[in-house]
Amino acid sequence: MELTEELKREVGQHFVVGFHGHELSSDVKTLIEDYYVGNIILMKRNIKGKPFYVWQTRNLTRKLQLLAKESGHTKPLLVGIDQENGLVSAFSSPTAGTHPGAMAIGATRDAALAEEIGSATAQELKFAGINWVYSPVADVNSDPRNPVIGVRSFGDDPSRVAEFATAVSRGLTKFGVAPAAKHFPGHGDTHVDSHLALPVIRKTKAQFTETELVPFNSLIKEGIATVMTGHMAVPLLTGTNTPSSLSREITISLLKDDLGFRGVVVTDCLEMDAIAEPKEGGCGSEEGAVRALEAGADIAMICHTFKRQHGAVELTYQALKTGRLSLEAVKKSGERIADLKDRFAGTWTDVLSQTTDDARKYWQELKNKNLLLSKKGYDSSTTVLHPENGTKTIPLSTEKKIWLFLPERQTINRAVDDGDEGAIRNTAGPSYAALADSISRRASLGCKTVIYGESSAFDGTGLSADCAVVFVTRNAHQSEWQVRYLGELLGAVGGDVPVVVFASCGPYELGRVRGMGDVSCVASYEFTVEGLLGGAEVIFGGG
């Protein structure tokens, strides 16, 4: 088979790639101009900080689209982003998207509010030139130890996850952004992070049908546009330890034949260690891309490394030339991608619109409206749990000196942290600082902040009966040192000092905490500024 320009243009439509920087890099220019890559993922590293945000992003997406048009692409790019809201929010900032994440939304028990938040998110993204979002998370968080899903899920009840994921998807679709339900067939019942290794979920098809597939089935019946396959092995479904994203049994037999999905299938990033690293049993990103397309995926995602990106495209050329990949199947898949672009990317006129005074006015009005919606979501999501026979310490008196205990910053996972540099880029530090400031402004006798860590020993010097404690945890069910430190504190103060335990991320430690003494427990489900400030309002009764 001859490698024609037509064939190269076809192959390019089957990849979504990321790049580095706030402007068009030479790498992304090469991928669009020479390899005709038709889909781009923006990441946190592409979104410039204050005061640019939406205007910088809008300008960047326009430049990408203009480059594609000038390179002879027949349809605009699909420009996607990880915007789950909450902790995984590549676009969130005070002047861009700011909305509660999945578990916080689930805690509101208000599916209509979930749809509103989906609609608001779509309007913000669409304005910035983003037409594809890798959300909602349809995973049922069955295993509290899950290191990578957790509060990114709407919860541990399959029916509720289905209801809320479908509501968010409906809201996104309504305003012209293609949702992608992830991570098929379900990443919730594992304590292994596929960024770092290959999770193996040993459940039967009947068990998957009862739990993991319930949300995906609901979303497919609703007509969701895209589904993202995950990097987990399900040997009782496939007979092997092949990652789901590379498995025909999952992509074709289960997703398309059994569940009837007719939209576009995209893989999770093929640079995750479960695929990319031979030491983890992976085959490499380049080979993984070809295997994913063989397995029935429409689009292979490679987010970070130019060498792997162009290598995967080149290997796909070879797979077509040798007959390993069916050209007919690839072209049929390309028709699905073209339909998706027509529906959500629109025309060149749509994606190349200029910023005007009317556009600026529209954005400001949109943000004002959505900030009120966001606050409503956060205010509705905070959950209060009192001990069965304990004293009612909430609202906490502001007439006491408040001792605020905050856990030291740690990495969470690559979905939340900066996976490129390995730095702690999560919002814990700034968010906890905002919480401390909020409490300081409330406490008439002042607020003392204590940062406790894995090697810390409790020192309660000065903690007396005229004080009260707000003890913040962050996934303490996975960090024994947080529970140990809390135990030392409770043992030292006895029943003389009112204590509120504030779970700032996963709420799973609260069952254990409630058995430790006469304390009240509050959960915010995420350590965003908005989530923590909403929790403070509940703890102090809005004072």
mmCIF file of all heavy atoms in Angstrom, residues 202-234:
data_model
loop_
_atom_site.group_PDB
_atom_site.id
_atom_site.type_symbol
_atom_site.label_atom_id
_atom_site.label_comp_id
_atom_site.label_asym_id
_atom_site.label_seq_id
_atom_site.Cartn_x
_atom_site.Cartn_y
_atom_site.Cartn_z
ATOM 1 N N ARG A 202 -10.406 -8.699 39.007
ATOM 2 C CA ARG A 202 -10.867 -10.077 38.806
ATOM 3 C C ARG A 202 -12.354 -10.193 39.151
ATOM 4 O O ARG A 202 -12.729 -10.674 40.210
ATOM 5 C CB ARG A 202 -10.023 -11.052 39.636
ATOM 6 C CG ARG A 202 -8.541 -10.992 39.275
ATOM 7 C CD ARG A 202 -7.716 -12.047 39.977
ATOM 8 N NE ARG A 202 -6.309 -11.896 39.656
ATOM 9 C CZ ARG A 202 -5.738 -12.350 38.541
ATOM 10 N NH1 ARG A 202 -6.479 -13.001 37.653
ATOM 11 N NH2 ARG A 202 -4.448 -12.150 38.308
ATOM 12 N N LYS A 203 -13.170 -9.701 38.239
ATOM 13 C CA LYS A 203 -14.616 -9.774 38.412
ATOM 14 C C LYS A 203 -15.218 -10.393 37.162
ATOM 15 O O LYS A 203 -14.701 -10.219 36.050
ATOM 16 C CB LYS A 203 -15.199 -8.379 38.651
ATOM 17 C CG LYS A 203 -14.648 -7.693 39.891
ATOM 18 C CD LYS A 203 -15.204 -6.298 40.080
ATOM 19 C CE LYS A 203 -16.593 -6.312 40.665
ATOM 20 N NZ LYS A 203 -17.025 -4.977 41.117
ATOM 21 N N THR A 204 -16.308 -11.095 37.371
ATOM 22 C CA THR A 204 -16.987 -11.737 36.251
ATOM 23 C C THR A 204 -17.819 -10.721 35.478
ATOM 24 O O THR A 204 -18.061 -9.598 35.948
ATOM 25 C CB THR A 204 -17.913 -12.849 36.750
ATOM 26 O OG1 THR A 204 -18.961 -12.244 37.527
ATOM 27 C CG2 THR A 204 -17.152 -13.872 37.592
ATOM 28 N N LYS A 205 -18.285 -11.131 34.316
ATOM 29 C CA LYS A 205 -19.130 -10.237 33.522
ATOM 30 C C LYS A 205 -20.411 -9.909 34.289
ATOM 31 O O LYS A 205 -20.904 -8.767 34.241
ATOM 32 C CB LYS A 205 -19.471 -10.871 32.182
ATOM 33 C CG LYS A 205 -20.225 -9.925 31.254
ATOM 34 C CD LYS A 205 -20.409 -10.516 29.872
ATOM 35 C CE LYS A 205 -21.131 -9.549 28.952
ATOM 36 N NZ LYS A 205 -21.310 -10.105 27.591
ATOM 37 N N ALA A 206 -20.936 -10.890 35.006
ATOM 38 C CA ALA A 206 -22.144 -10.639 35.798
ATOM 39 C C ALA A 206 -21.878 -9.578 36.862
ATOM 40 O O ALA A 206 -22.712 -8.696 37.108
ATOM 41 C CB ALA A 206 -22.626 -11.935 36.441
ATOM 42 N N GLN A 207 -20.721 -9.638 37.498
ATOM 43 C CA GLN A 207 -20.380 -8.648 38.512
ATOM 44 C C GLN A 207 -20.176 -7.262 37.888
ATOM 45 O O GLN A 207 -20.614 -6.255 38.452
ATOM 46 C CB GLN A 207 -19.118 -9.086 39.265
ATOM 47 C CG GLN A 207 -19.339 -10.296 40.158
ATOM 48 C CD GLN A 207 -18.044 -10.843 40.724
ATOM 49 O OE1 GLN A 207 -17.033 -10.971 40.022
ATOM 50 N NE2 GLN A 207 -18.046 -11.160 42.014
ATOM 51 N N PHE A 208 -19.527 -7.225 36.740
ATOM 52 C CA PHE A 208 -19.374 -5.944 36.044
ATOM 53 C C PHE A 208 -20.740 -5.377 35.661
ATOM 54 O O PHE A 208 -20.985 -4.172 35.771
ATOM 55 C CB PHE A 208 -18.509 -6.112 34.784
ATOM 56 C CG PHE A 208 -17.062 -5.787 34.993
ATOM 57 C CD1 PHE A 208 -16.170 -6.768 35.380
ATOM 58 C CD2 PHE A 208 -16.602 -4.503 34.825
ATOM 59 C CE1 PHE A 208 -14.832 -6.481 35.578
ATOM 60 C CE2 PHE A 208 -15.259 -4.188 35.021
ATOM 61 C CZ PHE A 208 -14.372 -5.181 35.402
ATOM 62 N N THR A 209 -21.626 -6.233 35.209
ATOM 63 C CA THR A 209 -22.956 -5.787 34.790
ATOM 64 C C THR A 209 -23.728 -5.191 35.953
ATOM 65 O O THR A 209 -24.469 -4.211 35.798
ATOM 66 C CB THR A 209 -23.732 -6.965 34.170
ATOM 67 O OG1 THR A 209 -23.009 -7.453 33.031
ATOM 68 C CG2 THR A 209 -25.120 -6.538 33.727
ATOM 69 N N GLU A 210 -23.553 -5.755 37.156
ATOM 70 C CA GLU A 210 -24.266 -5.279 38.342
ATOM 71 C C GLU A 210 -23.737 -3.946 38.853
ATOM 72 O O GLU A 210 -24.472 -3.178 39.473
ATOM 73 C CB GLU A 210 -24.153 -6.317 39.467
ATOM 74 C CG GLU A 210 -24.947 -7.588 39.216
ATOM 75 C CD GLU A 210 -24.732 -8.620 40.298
ATOM 76 O OE1 GLU A 210 -23.932 -8.341 41.239
ATOM 77 O OE2 GLU A 210 -25.336 -9.701 40.223
ATOM 78 N N THR A 211 -22.464 -3.674 38.599
ATOM 79 C CA THR A 211 -21.841 -2.481 39.193
ATOM 80 C C THR A 211 -21.227 -1.567 38.143
ATOM 81 O O THR A 211 -21.796 -0.541 37.779
ATOM 82 C CB THR A 211 -20.777 -2.908 40.229
ATOM 83 O OG1 THR A 211 -21.380 -3.757 41.210
ATOM 84 C CG2 THR A 211 -20.191 -1.690 40.939
ATOM 85 N N GLU A 212 -20.050 -1.930 37.626
ATOM 86 C CA GLU A 212 -19.272 -1.027 36.769
ATOM 87 C C GLU A 212 -20.014 -0.563 35.525
ATOM 88 O O GLU A 212 -19.891 0.594 35.099
ATOM 89 C CB GLU A 212 -17.954 -1.688 36.353
ATOM 90 C CG GLU A 212 -16.879 -1.696 37.416
ATOM 91 C CD GLU A 212 -17.044 -2.800 38.443
ATOM 92 O OE1 GLU A 212 -18.006 -3.596 38.315
ATOM 93 O OE2 GLU A 212 -16.235 -2.861 39.386
ATOM 94 N N LEU A 213 -20.771 -1.456 34.911
ATOM 95 C CA LEU A 213 -21.384 -1.123 33.627
ATOM 96 C C LEU A 213 -22.689 -0.340 33.747
ATOM 97 O O LEU A 213 -23.196 0.179 32.754
ATOM 98 C CB LEU A 213 -21.630 -2.404 32.817
ATOM 99 C CG LEU A 213 -20.384 -3.214 32.448
ATOM 100 C CD1 LEU A 213 -20.762 -4.403 31.580
ATOM 101 C CD2 LEU A 213 -19.339 -2.350 31.749
ATOM 102 N N VAL A 214 -23.213 -0.241 34.967
ATOM 103 C CA VAL A 214 -24.498 0.457 35.146
ATOM 104 C C VAL A 214 -24.421 1.913 34.667
ATOM 105 O O VAL A 214 -25.264 2.361 33.876
ATOM 106 C CB VAL A 214 -24.967 0.364 36.614
ATOM 107 C CG1 VAL A 214 -26.202 1.245 36.850
ATOM 108 C CG2 VAL A 214 -25.279 -1.084 36.982
ATOM 109 N N PRO A 215 -23.426 2.698 35.098
ATOM 110 C CA PRO A 215 -23.363 4.084 34.606
ATOM 111 C C PRO A 215 -23.110 4.173 33.104
ATOM 112 O O PRO A 215 -23.718 5.003 32.415
ATOM 113 C CB PRO A 215 -22.196 4.691 35.397
ATOM 114 C CG PRO A 215 -22.055 3.830 36.601
ATOM 115 C CD PRO A 215 -22.407 2.449 36.135
ATOM 116 N N PHE A 216 -22.211 3.322 32.583
ATOM 117 C CA PHE A 216 -21.918 3.379 31.150
ATOM 118 C C PHE A 216 -23.152 3.020 30.325
ATOM 119 O O PHE A 216 -23.431 3.638 29.294
ATOM 120 C CB PHE A 216 -20.762 2.437 30.814
ATOM 121 C CG PHE A 216 -19.434 2.919 31.311
ATOM 122 C CD1 PHE A 216 -18.857 2.369 32.447
ATOM 123 C CD2 PHE A 216 -18.761 3.945 30.668
ATOM 124 C CE1 PHE A 216 -17.632 2.820 32.914
ATOM 125 C CE2 PHE A 216 -17.539 4.414 31.125
ATOM 126 C CZ PHE A 216 -16.968 3.842 32.259
ATOM 127 N N ASN A 217 -23.890 2.053 30.794
ATOM 128 C CA ASN A 217 -25.117 1.663 30.092
ATOM 129 C C ASN A 217 -26.111 2.819 30.042
ATOM 130 O O ASN A 217 -26.728 3.099 29.008
ATOM 131 C CB ASN A 217 -25.738 0.442 30.779
ATOM 132 C CG ASN A 217 -26.682 -0.320 29.880
ATOM 133 O OD1 ASN A 217 -26.526 -0.335 28.662
ATOM 134 N ND2 ASN A 217 -27.670 -0.939 30.470
ATOM 135 N N SER A 218 -26.250 3.527 31.157
ATOM 136 C CA SER A 218 -27.144 4.677 31.212
ATOM 137 C C SER A 218 -26.686 5.765 30.255
ATOM 138 O O SER A 218 -27.494 6.360 29.517
ATOM 139 C CB SER A 218 -27.196 5.230 32.643
ATOM 140 O OG SER A 218 -27.922 6.440 32.705
ATOM 141 N N LEU A 219 -25.392 6.044 30.244
ATOM 142 C CA LEU A 219 -24.847 7.079 29.374
ATOM 143 C C LEU A 219 -25.004 6.726 27.904
ATOM 144 O O LEU A 219 -25.319 7.581 27.068
ATOM 145 C CB LEU A 219 -23.369 7.296 29.712
ATOM 146 C CG LEU A 219 -23.116 8.043 31.029
ATOM 147 C CD1 LEU A 219 -21.729 7.725 31.575
ATOM 148 C CD2 LEU A 219 -23.270 9.544 30.836
ATOM 149 N N ILE A 220 -24.797 5.461 27.574
ATOM 150 C CA ILE A 220 -24.929 5.027 26.179
ATOM 151 C C ILE A 220 -26.381 5.138 25.720
ATOM 152 O O ILE A 220 -26.670 5.582 24.604
ATOM 153 C CB ILE A 220 -24.376 3.593 26.024
ATOM 154 C CG1 ILE A 220 -22.849 3.622 26.172
ATOM 155 C CG2 ILE A 220 -24.770 2.994 24.674
ATOM 156 C CD1 ILE A 220 -22.228 2.260 26.362
ATOM 157 N N LYS A 221 -27.313 4.744 26.585
ATOM 158 C CA LYS A 221 -28.726 4.878 26.237
ATOM 159 C C LYS A 221 -29.115 6.338 26.031
ATOM 160 O O LYS A 221 -29.999 6.650 25.230
ATOM 161 C CB LYS A 221 -29.589 4.241 27.322
ATOM 162 C CG LYS A 221 -29.533 2.717 27.335
ATOM 163 C CD LYS A 221 -30.399 2.126 28.436
ATOM 164 C CE LYS A 221 -30.367 0.601 28.398
ATOM 165 N NZ LYS A 221 -31.168 -0.002 29.497
ATOM 166 N N GLU A 222 -28.448 7.238 26.751
ATOM 167 C CA GLU A 222 -28.696 8.673 26.617
ATOM 168 C C GLU A 222 -28.082 9.221 25.333
ATOM 169 O O GLU A 222 -28.410 10.324 24.895
ATOM 170 C CB GLU A 222 -28.114 9.398 27.843
ATOM 171 C CG GLU A 222 -28.335 10.888 27.880
ATOM 172 C CD GLU A 222 -29.697 11.284 28.438
ATOM 173 O OE1 GLU A 222 -30.397 10.407 28.990
ATOM 174 O OE2 GLU A 222 -30.065 12.471 28.319
ATOM 175 N N GLY A 223 -27.157 8.458 24.724
ATOM 176 C CA GLY A 223 -26.550 8.887 23.475
ATOM 177 C C GLY A 223 -25.244 9.627 23.633
ATOM 178 O O GLY A 223 -24.909 10.475 22.796
ATOM 179 N N ILE A 224 -24.463 9.322 24.674
ATOM 180 C CA ILE A 224 -23.201 10.024 24.900
ATOM 181 C C ILE A 224 -22.310 9.910 23.666
ATOM 182 O O ILE A 224 -22.254 8.881 23.001
ATOM 183 C CB ILE A 224 -22.483 9.497 26.158
ATOM 184 C CG1 ILE A 224 -21.315 10.431 26.517
ATOM 185 C CG2 ILE A 224 -22.004 8.061 25.983
ATOM 186 C CD1 ILE A 224 -20.744 10.205 27.889
ATOM 187 N N ALA A 225 -21.584 10.996 23.365
ATOM 188 C CA ALA A 225 -20.833 11.086 22.115
ATOM 189 C C ALA A 225 -19.567 10.245 22.099
ATOM 190 O O ALA A 225 -19.219 9.652 21.076
ATOM 191 C CB ALA A 225 -20.476 12.546 21.829
ATOM 192 N N THR A 226 -18.826 10.207 23.233
ATOM 193 C CA THR A 226 -17.558 9.479 23.259
ATOM 194 C C THR A 226 -17.400 8.731 24.576
ATOM 195 O O THR A 226 -17.962 9.119 25.602
ATOM 196 C CB THR A 226 -16.346 10.421 23.051
ATOM 197 O OG1 THR A 226 -16.133 11.216 24.209
ATOM 198 C CG2 THR A 226 -16.545 11.323 21.841
ATOM 199 N N VAL A 227 -16.606 7.676 24.511
ATOM 200 C CA VAL A 227 -16.261 6.883 25.690
ATOM 201 C C VAL A 227 -14.752 6.697 25.708
ATOM 202 O O VAL A 227 -14.137 6.438 24.660
ATOM 203 C CB VAL A 227 -16.956 5.509 25.686
ATOM 204 C CG1 VAL A 227 -16.371 4.586 26.749
ATOM 205 C CG2 VAL A 227 -18.459 5.663 25.906
ATOM 206 N N MET A 228 -14.133 6.842 26.884
ATOM 207 C CA MET A 228 -12.702 6.628 27.038
ATOM 208 C C MET A 228 -12.458 5.265 27.674
ATOM 209 O O MET A 228 -13.015 4.963 28.737
ATOM 210 C CB MET A 228 -12.079 7.714 27.915
ATOM 211 C CG MET A 228 -10.587 7.517 28.179
ATOM 212 S SD MET A 228 -9.886 8.786 29.259
ATOM 213 C CE MET A 228 -9.823 10.179 28.133
ATOM 214 N N THR A 229 -11.615 4.458 27.033
ATOM 215 C CA THR A 229 -11.251 3.159 27.598
ATOM 216 C C THR A 229 -10.069 3.313 28.540
ATOM 217 O O THR A 229 -9.186 4.159 28.334
ATOM 218 C CB THR A 229 -10.904 2.155 26.494
ATOM 219 O OG1 THR A 229 -9.971 2.751 25.586
ATOM 220 C CG2 THR A 229 -12.151 1.739 25.733
ATOM 221 N N GLY A 230 -10.040 2.488 29.584
ATOM 222 C CA GLY A 230 -9.015 2.589 30.619
ATOM 223 C C GLY A 230 -7.972 1.504 30.518
ATOM 224 O O GLY A 230 -8.144 0.493 29.831
ATOM 225 N N HIS A 231 -6.888 1.705 31.257
ATOM 226 C CA HIS A 231 -5.770 0.766 31.249
ATOM 227 C C HIS A 231 -5.852 -0.151 32.467
ATOM 228 O O HIS A 231 -5.055 -0.043 33.407
ATOM 229 C CB HIS A 231 -4.447 1.520 31.262
ATOM 230 C CG HIS A 231 -4.308 2.554 30.201
ATOM 231 N ND1 HIS A 231 -4.733 2.354 28.902
ATOM 232 C CD2 HIS A 231 -3.776 3.805 30.234
ATOM 233 C CE1 HIS A 231 -4.456 3.434 28.189
ATOM 234 N NE2 HIS A 231 -3.894 4.332 28.974
ATOM 235 N N MET A 232 -6.840 -1.020 32.485
ATOM 236 C CA MET A 232 -6.923 -2.033 33.541
ATOM 237 C C MET A 232 -7.187 -3.387 32.885
ATOM 238 O O MET A 232 -7.859 -3.473 31.849
ATOM 239 C CB MET A 232 -8.017 -1.689 34.557
ATOM 240 C CG MET A 232 -9.441 -1.800 34.068
ATOM 241 S SD MET A 232 -9.943 -0.560 32.850
ATOM 242 C CE MET A 232 -9.921 0.917 33.855
ATOM 243 N N ALA A 233 -6.612 -4.427 33.459
ATOM 244 C CA ALA A 233 -6.843 -5.774 32.956
ATOM 245 C C ALA A 233 -8.065 -6.369 33.642
ATOM 246 O O ALA A 233 -8.250 -6.215 34.852
ATOM 247 C CB ALA A 233 -5.627 -6.659 33.214
ATOM 248 N N VAL A 234 -8.897 -7.052 32.860
ATOM 249 C CA VAL A 234 -10.098 -7.701 33.388
ATOM 250 C C VAL A 234 -10.111 -9.142 32.870
ATOM 251 O O VAL A 234 -10.891 -9.478 31.976
ATOM 252 C CB VAL A 234 -11.373 -6.920 32.996
ATOM 253 C CG1 VAL A 234 -11.488 -5.646 33.808
ATOM 254 C CG2 VAL A 234 -11.377 -6.556 31.516
#
